[in-house]
Amino acid sequence: MNRRIITRLVALLLAAMLLCGAVALADTNVTQIRTLDRGASLRSEPRVDSRNKIASIHAGVTLDVYDEINGWYYVCHRGMWGYVASTTS
């Protein structure tokens, strides 16, 4: 990869991380959860489906929860927004 592409990717990642942090500061109703020993899966929709998994979250990670929908928490993890099952905390 050339240096320009890598620089743009790093800038995009930093911008996404800052955006999550800015939303967290603006929202006063944010609660936190910690993933259990088995970790969690970040999903694009609040349901278990092999096609909607965005990322794996390691055990013991603290997540900011912005909403709860039918037993699923809406969270931001490393610049990615998605859902984790409430049974993972």
Side-chain angles (χ1 to χ4, degrees):
M1 295 178 96
N2 83 30
R3 182 178 242 163
R4 184 178 292 176
I5 292 172
I6 292 173
T7 302
R8 288 181 182 174
L9 287 173
V10 169
L12 181 62
L13 178 62
L14 289 173
M17 291 174 68
L18 289 173
L19 178 61
C20 278
V23 171
L25 292 174
D27 191 347
T28 58
N29 295 323
V30 175
T31 58
Q32 290 186 327
I33 60 168
R34 182 176 286 270
T35 58
L36 296 175
D37 293 339
R38 65 179 182 265
S41 294
L42 185 67
R43 299 188 176 275
S44 60
E45 300 173 30
R47 63 185 176 90
V48 176
D49 186 340
S50 61
R51 294 171 288 178
N52 71 357
K53 185 174 178 181
I54 299 171
S56 294
I57 303 172
H58 295 292
V61 174
T62 301
L63 299 169
D64 291 331
V65 177
Y66 296 91
D67 198 6
E68 183 178 2
I69 302 168
N70 297 327
W72 289 83
Y73 294 130
Y74 186 62
V75 302
C76 183
H77 175 66
R78 293 187 176 182
M80 297 177 286
W81 291 88
Y83 299 88
V84 295
S86 61
T87 56
T88 60
S89 60

